[in-house]
Amino acid sequence: MSKCAWVTLTTNDAYSLGAMVLAHSLKRVGTVHDLVVMITPTVSEAMRSRLREVFNLVQEVNVLDSKDATNLAILARPELGITFTKLHAWKLVQYEKCVFLDSDTLVIQNCDELMEREELSAAPEVCWPDCFNSGVFVYRPNEATFTSIIEFAAKNGSFDGGDQGILNSYFSQWAHTDITKHLPYTYNTAAFAVYSYLPAFKEFKNKIKILHFAGKVKPWLLNFNSETKQASIPPMFTHCGDFIQLWWNIFCDNVHQRLSDQMAGLAGALAQVRLGEPRSSEQEAYEASMRRQCWESGNIDYTGKDSFDNIWKKIQETLEMKPEAPAKSADDDNDKSSVTPPEIEIKATAQKLIASNVTTPKPARSTNKPTPQPPARQKSKKSK
Ligand code: UDP
Ligand code: MN
């Protein structure tokens, strides 16, 4: 067989956690192909040495950034300009055929047969099925193709500011020419419920080969209990909670022991956590910082620590800590009936905020609507 490889990309130590779990997921299903990770200079030395243990090739590449703030703002994903770096994948000419996988994908079943497909094969983008999702695609490394895509990008830009826009424009014939280049959706199934057709997800779940955590909420950003080794599954991921747990099981079995506190950010914090042991102060510090990150990315643990009751308790504590109010005048009592007490107003505002956060998850790419709607059929089922 010709020389083939699975290729991924990571530009920092956090996405490297995804790359490591992805690599082990490929090994777990017994792939016969090489594993390649492209890294940028921003990946720490400690992480590089760990990546070298699991990937056949760790290829440093320079950052290519679309710097297209306008389109990235429409997508609400400013970080995705950097995904232009993906285009370096065409320079891996030591391989004849490759499959690129985003580092937020998880291989569930062996799919070595993908290497038999031709460039450019990919699965439909769930939000716009006449485009392909660029989280999984089959391609042929070739310097001339690389140059041609870069020239095309320089001339035309990317309609979404990321690699997916440029690749869909460059390989625009994908939509309507050769059906063999349309991969089944099971090779790139979106995990996020808003983008899923839940009855179909249930029906075809056992056929899923590659799951893709597209969108802002990545498995490594979810709350994880190091003592029980259980991830807490947010409501929009309930249908695929077992896959999220699989991600964390692979992390616990194969990745955690390779981490070191020399690594940056989350990877360094996770290195300090002891698995299966009673929670230490490091674990608590890690959980606190994770909860903060989750809050900031709109992924709030409503059923756990960040439940409404806990938030309300905190607000009350804060109110109670306030300095004494100035002495009351006789009129104050008369006003009481017409003025809403501040704590009731705060409670109402907090409830509104929580409700709006529950119903407006952050978008994944390829949608410029702030609140994507699930398919109609799914909606009617849900309301039953
Ligand atoms: N990526 C990266 N660093 C970043 C953002 C993205 O290394 O800061 C890489 C990584 O391989 C990632 C891919 O680019 O999987 C595409 O980004 P992402 O998966 O976040 O996009 P989405 O699938 O959510 O649209
Ligand atoms: Mn992705």
Side-chain angles (χ1 to χ4, degrees):
M1 194 190 285
S2 61
K3 198 135 164 76
C4 298
W6 302 98
V7 178
T8 190
L9 162 71
T10 166
T11 64
N12 57 44
D13 285 8
Y15 272 93
S16 298
L17 295 170
M20 298 262 273
V21 171
L22 168 63
H24 283 287
S25 75
L26 280 158
K27 285 181 183 282
R28 182 178 159 270
V29 298
T31 183
V32 298
H33 301 302
D34 274 13
L35 308 183
V36 177
V37 60
M38 301 186 295
I39 59 164
T40 54
T42 37
V43 174
S44 73
E45 201 41 64
M47 185 58 91
R48 286 160 192 241
S49 70
R50 294 322 192 195
L51 290 168
R52 274 185 216 110
E53 292 172 350
V54 58
F55 285 91
N56 301 86
L57 174 64
V58 177
Q59 178 72 50
E60 185 169 306
V61 296
N62 61 317
V63 172
L64 295 176
D65 194 328
S66 73
K67 300 244 170 22
D68 183 352
T70 313
N71 280 315
L72 292 167
I74 298 176
L75 208 56
R77 298 287 303 275
E79 75 277 19
L80 290 185
I82 210 165
T83 63
F84 260 41
T85 311
K86 231 186 236 189
L87 303 179
H88 281 297
W90 266 271
K91 289 172 102 179
L92 296 165
V93 291
Q94 58 272 58
Y95 295 102
E96 198 168 316
K97 188 96 65 75
C98 295
V99 175
F100 181 89
L101 297 170
D102 267 8
S103 60
D104 60 346
T105 56
L106 182 68
V107 175
I108 314 281
Q109 298 184 39
N110 184 298
C111 33
D112 284 357
E113 69 279 5
L114 277 181
M115 300 294 176
E116 285 154 30
R117 301 271 180 156
E118 260 317 314
E119 176 173 284
L120 185 290
S121 293
E125 162 59 53
V126 68
C127 298
W128 197 271
D130 285 344
C131 287
F132 57 84
N133 180 284
S134 63
V136 177
F137 61 86
V138 185
Y139 73 101
R140 276 185 185 275
N142 183 312
E143 289 275 1
T145 313
F146 172 78
T147 312
S148 161
I149 301 174
I150 294 291
E151 281 169 6
F152 185 87
K155 197 161 153 232
N156 304 292
S158 160
F159 67 78
D160 67 3
D163 64 290
Q164 183 159 302
I166 190 70
L167 289 175
N168 269 280
S169 301
Y170 187 84
F171 293 101
S172 61
Q173 68 281 21
W174 176 87
H176 45 77
T177 44
D178 184 354
I179 193 69
T180 64
K181 293 184 178 174
H182 282 226
L183 297 181
Y185 186 60
T186 45
Y187 285 106
N188 186 356
T189 310
F192 198 20
V194 174
Y195 303 104
S196 284
Y197 170 26
L198 291 180
F201 195 99
K202 208 170 133 230
E203 176 72 10
F204 301 111
K205 192 172 178 185
N206 62 3
K207 297 204 161 52
I208 295 174
K209 295 206 160 189
I210 304 175
L211 191 72
H212 186 183
F213 295 97
K216 262 192 173 284
V217 184
K218 306 301 186 195
W220 55 90
L221 294 177
L222 297 176
N223 280 304
F224 167 70
N225 183 324
S226 62
E227 189 176 348
T228 59
K229 302 190 196 172
Q230 296 297 306
S232 78
I233 313 293
M236 69 274 211
F237 287 120
T238 318
H239 59 293
C240 63
D242 44 353
F243 292 142
I244 291 179
Q245 191 54 48
L246 173 64
W247 192 97
W248 279 100
N249 289 349
I250 296 174
F251 172 85
C252 292
D253 293 345
N254 306 110
V255 177
H256 178 259
Q257 70 270 28
R258 314 308 297 151
L259 301 181
S260 85
D261 52 16
Q262 314 274 302
M263 293 172 180
L266 179 59
L270 279 166
Q272 320 213 3
V273 164
R274 301 276 146 265
L275 298 182
E277 287 180 17
R279 289 155 79 241
S280 62
S281 54
E282 286 86 358
Q283 163 71 12
E284 274 163 18
Y286 154 74
E287 280 183 7
S289 86
M290 281 311 294
R291 241 190 1 267
R292 197 193 159 97
Q293 278 200 38
C294 292
W295 257 96
E296 286 168 3
S297 63
N299 169 36
I300 299 164
D301 182 15
Y302 296 107
T303 53
K305 277 239 161 75
D306 297 323
S307 66
F308 180 76
D309 285 349
N310 283 345
I311 296 170
W312 179 232
K313 217 166 95 196
K314 180 82 190 157
I315 292 173
Q316 273 178 323
E317 278 166 18
T318 313
L319 282 174
E320 277 159 20
M321 276 161 50
K322 268 187 151 182
E324 283 288 297
K328 280 190 199 173
S329 74
D331 290 346
D332 283 349
D333 283 341
N334 300 337
D335 287 349
K336 237 184 187 166
S337 56
S338 58
V339 178
T340 315
E343 63 268 30
I344 293 183
E345 258 177 36
I346 293 169
K347 190 168 183 173
T349 313
Q351 241 155 357
K352 257 191 234 158
L353 265 174
I354 288 175
S356 71
N357 252 316
V358 170
T359 52
T360 53
K362 292 277 191 280
R365 68 171 58 191
S366 297
T367 172
N368 53 9
K369 288 186 183 170
T371 317
Q373 294 300 312
R377 259 191 286 172
Q378 183 189 324
K379 243 189 194 166
S380 60
K381 270 262 156 74
K382 252 175 147 181
S383 59
K384 272 184 194 166

